[in-house]
Amino acid sequence: NVMSAKNNSENEADTEGREEENWVINGWKLDEKCHCLIQGEDVVRLEPKITQLMAYLAARAGEPISREQLLDEVWPGTIVSDESLTNAVNKIRRAFGDSSQNPQVIETIPKMGYRMVAAVIKEISEEKPAYREVIKDHKLSASSDGLSRPRIWLGFASILVVALIAGALWYGQDHDRKQVSTQKAEYTPVKSDHALNGKLKDSKPTISDNKTKQSPTILVLPFRNLGSNDEEEYFIDGITEDIITELSRLSGLLVLASNTSFRYKGQTIVPQEIAKELNASHILEGGVRKAGDKLRITAQLTDTQKGHHIWADRYDRSLTDVFAVQDDVTQNIVNALALHLTDQDKVALTRKYTSSIEAYELFLRGRNLYRKRTMEDSKQAKVVLKEAIKLDPSYARTYGTLALTLIQEANSGWIEDPIEARDRALELARKAVLLDDQSPQVYWSLAFTHLYRKEYEEATDAVKKSIDISPSYADAHALLAFIKNFLGEAEEAIELLNKSMQLNPHYSWDYLWNLGFAYYTLGEFEKANEYLDKAQNRNPNIRNIFLFRAATFMELGMQDEAEWEIEQLLQLYPNLTVSLMSSQSPMADSKALEVFLNHLLNAGLPE
């Protein structure tokens, strides 16, 4: 599962006439030929460029290296941004479970560059007399200029060599073993990247609509689990999302998206900081304790400008009253903010999705499984959602989520007949709309289903209906951008994504992927790669990110990197082929699709 024969021969030519070197970094062997870190039976795959950067820093362990030197030496003759280097360093840190705050592998030197501070050993090929030379083993001590210089201990006496080897190996193995393949990076709030007029700008979310400016902006924080059962998290998160959904339907209120809300899960929030970061005028927070058929829900609304509560309440009810409590919370917020309700708003507040608490719990569990995006979870999601439909055949959102699950399986090559799956998905999505034509989520499901059937006009109409019902529904604006991308209308897609990011400042990976897609279409491949890299950092298992990164690398002439993306993709989606992509891609421009598929074929995706 290493490089292609072509790249192997190039690597062999590069190393001909010199000693073959491998580096051992904190107990992990860096193998430059297979682009991986190895420790015993554990293997962590790396991108080719990440391997080169790691080897470059290892060879100069302890030395401060400027950003300019790294860009010139590791990316020679290529124009890349400082952000590309930052992302590459962050990937190395994640490979070792390292952090910038307490660096054990790579240290950031402010306004200068980086320095490898890990225990590093240079390992010489066994074709030569076998030995290891200890290069560095620090924490570095401060010198008069603030930068320590490496000290190299060389010894020829066997006792000294053995002692050094033992010490270095002990140091490397004494640390906790950390693997990135199953880790997620810690979230640190940062300024949003907004695409404005084709340029990147760092700014706080701003709303150009005068009516929206006068409206209160509310952030609904994830309700806390007040009980002891962690398995109830999906249920509590579902209550939070439903409150967000109901509030977002009100025309006089701007509601930040659930993606933004859930970025703050488990964090202690200072209202004034949220007001500054997100322009949120109010925060709703609360907690849920679920014990058998008993339910306790607490909620409080805070004015972020004044820093005090303007409404709070506690509900001790039976589990079957959960919908009544959600309605009561929504109505109390309307009263506390003195919102003027239109006739449509009043109708929205009377909406009832289901009267079956059992069906509701199954729906929440099924939606949670679908969102995990694995084959096994998808299969289980179908079972759970079908059971919910049996309990309440009129529960519209269950049909919509089941339709999305089928589309996901068809797109991923997890089922034998994808055409039949898409037909069935359309039936389910249409039924969802018939059952509840005032739910923005079911119209979103219908739009997504139409898109992957290449029914662009129907998809556009459905998602616009979703936006009409819920103007603050950020994911609906993003889906419309997604549709525009597949139609080749990249400039419009970027404008829509800017709107989505205003509504959802801590947007998810798919917003970034969408931007990468747009810049790929525009032929701005460096910028496309930056966004695709960011998207992959947030979610490393998404098929479309791998595909578009591979195609972008091919456009940039980076064959090795393109092949690596396809190799990683096939480990996650072994049944994926060019022909499958040809049959399922919603890309409307046949010539653009042909170019895209040829890139994937040349990068190693099977026919």
Side-chain angles (χ1 to χ4, degrees):
N1 63 344
V2 295
M3 302 297 294
S4 67
K6 171 180 176 290
N7 293 323
N8 279 335
S9 63
E10 290 176 354
N11 286 338
E12 288 167 6
D14 290 341
T15 58
E16 187 176 354
R18 66 173 176 87
E19 292 177 330
E20 180 183 328
E21 297 176 352
N22 285 310
W23 301 98
V24 178
I25 306 170
N26 272 6
W28 286 81
K29 177 181 176 180
L30 175 63
D31 191 317
E32 293 186 63
K33 281 194 172 183
C34 77
H35 301 296
C36 59
L37 288 168
I38 303 171
Q39 187 180 71
E41 295 183 357
D42 297 326
V43 178
V44 177
R45 294 294 307 277
L46 303 167
E47 296 176 37
K49 194 57 69 177
I50 304 306
T51 303
Q52 294 175 33
L53 176 60
M54 197 182 299
Y56 188 87
L57 289 168
R60 295 156 184 80
E63 298 179 19
I65 312 293
S66 70
R67 298 177 69 90
E68 292 77 13
Q69 181 178 342
L70 289 171
L71 289 170
D72 289 343
E73 296 292 334
V74 182
W75 285 269
T78 304
I79 300 175
V80 295
S81 66
D82 278 354
E83 191 166 19
S84 296
L85 174 58
T86 300
N87 289 337
V89 169
N90 287 336
K91 287 180 179 180
I92 295 176
R93 283 175 172 152
R94 285 200 299 275
F96 289 96
D98 196 22
S99 71
S100 58
Q101 292 79 17
N102 184 29
Q104 303 296 317
V105 177
I106 296 181
E107 176 186 46
T108 299
I109 303 174
K111 298 183 180 180
M112 195 275 183
Y114 300 97
R115 168 170 50 196
M116 181 166 281
V117 296
V120 177
I121 300 169
K122 181 170 72 173
E123 188 178 73
I124 306 301
S125 171
E126 292 185 0
E127 295 176 3
K128 303 288 182 181
Y131 71 93
R132 286 180 173 182
E133 179 187 348
V134 179
I135 304 298
K136 283 101 191 170
D137 186 353
H138 355 250
K139 279 294 185 169
L140 296 172
S141 59
S143 62
S144 58
D145 64 355
L147 300 175
S148 298
R149 296 299 175 186
R151 292 182 294 173
I152 303 177
W153 299 93
L154 299 175
F156 299 96
S158 59
I159 294 177
L160 180 57
V161 172
V162 170
L164 288 170
I165 292 171
L169 290 177
W170 175 86
Y171 182 93
Q173 294 174 356
D174 189 52
H175 290 69
D176 292 335
R177 290 165 57 183
K178 295 171 180 154
Q179 297 182 48
V180 194
S181 52
T182 57
Q183 273 189 327
K184 293 182 179 178
E186 285 187 8
Y187 168 73
T188 304
V190 295
K191 289 183 178 180
S192 304
D193 293 325
H194 298 291
L196 301 173
N197 299 322
K199 297 180 180 179
L200 275 175
K201 291 187 179 180
D202 288 327
S203 62
K204 293 176 185 149
T206 57
I207 307 298
S208 59
D209 188 300
N210 290 330
K211 179 180 178 181
T212 308
K213 280 184 178 178
Q214 300 169 359
S215 301
T217 301
I218 187 169
L219 172 70
V220 181
L221 293 173
F223 277 38
R224 300 181 304 280
N225 185 354
L226 303 178
S228 57
N229 188 355
D230 292 339
E231 294 182 0
E232 301 294 348
E233 287 291 330
Y234 77 90
F235 179 81
I236 297 167
D237 290 347
I239 290 176
T240 303
E241 289 197 49
D242 281 350
I243 292 174
I244 291 172
T245 297
E246 292 308 301
L247 291 173
S248 69
R249 293 157 64 96
L250 303 179
S251 57
L253 184 63
L254 180 65
V255 185
L256 295 172
S258 59
N259 291 116
T260 293
S261 298
F262 279 87
R263 290 289 186 179
Y264 295 97
K265 185 170 182 176
Q267 297 185 30
T268 301
I269 299 301
V270 178
Q272 287 79 3
E273 291 181 0
I274 291 295
K276 183 177 180 181
E277 184 178 356
L278 301 178
N279 288 341
S281 60
H282 296 82
I283 293 175
L284 177 69
E285 53 190 326
V288 179
R289 175 179 285 114
K290 180 172 174 282
D293 62 349
K294 301 296 183 183
L295 190 69
R296 168 173 289 183
I297 297 180
T298 62
Q300 59 188 28
L301 184 66
T302 302
D303 185 319
T304 60
Q305 301 298 324
K306 298 177 181 179
H308 62 71
H309 305 325
I310 59 175
W311 166 78
D313 209 341
R314 187 181 80 181
Y315 306 87
D316 289 303
R317 304 281 184 87
S318 68
L319 186 59
T320 55
D321 288 334
V322 63
F323 310 118
V325 174
Q326 291 174 356
D327 292 344
D328 197 37
V329 169
T330 302
Q331 187 60 59
N332 274 296
I333 291 171
V334 169
N335 296 338
L337 299 180
L339 296 179
H340 172 71
L341 299 182
T342 65
D343 290 340
Q344 183 177 347
D345 293 338
K346 292 175 183 177
V347 171
L349 288 178
T350 64
R351 298 297 303 163
K352 302 296 180 186
Y353 293 111
T354 181
S355 58
S356 169
I357 186 63
E358 293 85 1
Y360 179 63
E361 287 196 79
L362 286 169
F363 162 71
L364 294 178
R365 186 178 294 121
R367 183 176 65 180
N368 185 54
L369 288 165
Y370 154 72
R371 288 175 174 175
K372 292 181 179 180
R373 296 177 180 272
T374 71
M375 182 166 63
E376 191 56 42
D377 287 319
S378 181
K379 289 180 180 179
Q380 187 61 29
K382 288 194 299 184
V383 173
V384 172
L385 292 168
K386 288 176 181 178
E387 187 63 29
I389 289 172
K390 287 182 182 178
L391 290 172
D392 185 356
S394 64
Y395 193 4
R397 287 195 296 173
T398 307
Y399 292 91
T401 305
L402 184 54
L404 294 177
T405 304
L406 289 173
I407 292 295
Q408 178 174 266
E409 290 188 330
N411 291 348
S412 302
W414 293 340
I415 48 179
E416 292 184 3
D417 193 340
I419 296 177
E420 181 183 356
R422 291 190 187 96
D423 289 344
R424 177 59 178 153
L426 184 60
E427 292 176 12
L428 291 165
R430 283 174 170 168
K431 185 172 181 65
V433 170
L434 287 173
L435 289 169
D436 187 355
D437 64 358
Q438 292 302 308
S439 169
Q441 289 88 355
V442 298
Y443 275 105
W444 195 99
S445 300
L446 179 62
F448 194 81
T449 301
H450 276 306
L451 174 61
Y452 277 94
R453 293 171 56 84
K454 303 184 181 182
E455 296 162 351
Y456 308 108
E457 185 176 347
E458 293 88 345
T460 301
D461 290 343
V463 76
K464 284 184 176 179
K465 181 64 176 176
S466 180
I467 293 171
D468 288 343
I469 295 171
S470 181
S472 295
Y473 191 11
D475 284 352
H477 294 280
L479 179 56
L480 184 55
F482 190 36
I483 295 168
K484 294 294 184 182
N485 261 333
F486 279 114
L487 289 171
E489 300 168 7
E491 292 88 352
E492 290 185 51
I494 292 172
E495 291 179 11
L496 287 162
L497 286 164
N498 177 50
K499 172 70 172 179
S500 304
M501 289 173 173
Q502 292 171 1
L503 295 169
N504 187 3
H506 294 307
Y507 40 82
S508 55
W509 62 267
D510 47 331
Y511 289 56
L512 293 165
W513 171 71
N514 238 329
L515 278 172
F517 184 178
Y519 284 112
Y520 172 86
T521 301
L522 291 173
E524 298 184 37
F525 301 115
E526 288 289 351
K527 189 172 286 187
N529 191 39
E530 285 183 26
Y531 281 115
L532 292 169
D533 188 55
K534 289 180 182 180
Q536 198 168 63
N537 284 338
R538 294 197 183 185
N539 194 330
N541 299 318
I542 300 301
R543 184 198 66 167
N544 279 339
I545 299 176
F546 284 106
L547 291 169
F548 275 85
R549 285 207 83 190
T552 300
F553 280 134
M554 292 296 292
E555 290 282 3
L556 292 171
M558 302 168 71
Q559 179 81 28
D560 286 356
E561 283 74 8
E563 290 182 1
W564 189 90
E565 293 293 332
I566 296 300
E567 287 176 15
Q568 294 297 104
L569 172 69
L570 291 174
Q571 291 182 29
L572 295 169
Y573 300 91
N575 298 326
L576 200 60
T577 63
V578 172
S579 60
L580 180 61
M581 285 300 305
S582 177
S583 65
Q584 71 175 225
S585 173
M587 203 175 287
D589 187 331
S590 59
K591 291 184 178 179
L593 178 60
E594 183 180 358
V595 171
F596 178 70
L597 295 176
N598 281 334
H599 282 327
L600 300 182
L601 182 65
N602 292 330
L605 189 66
E607 291 188 51

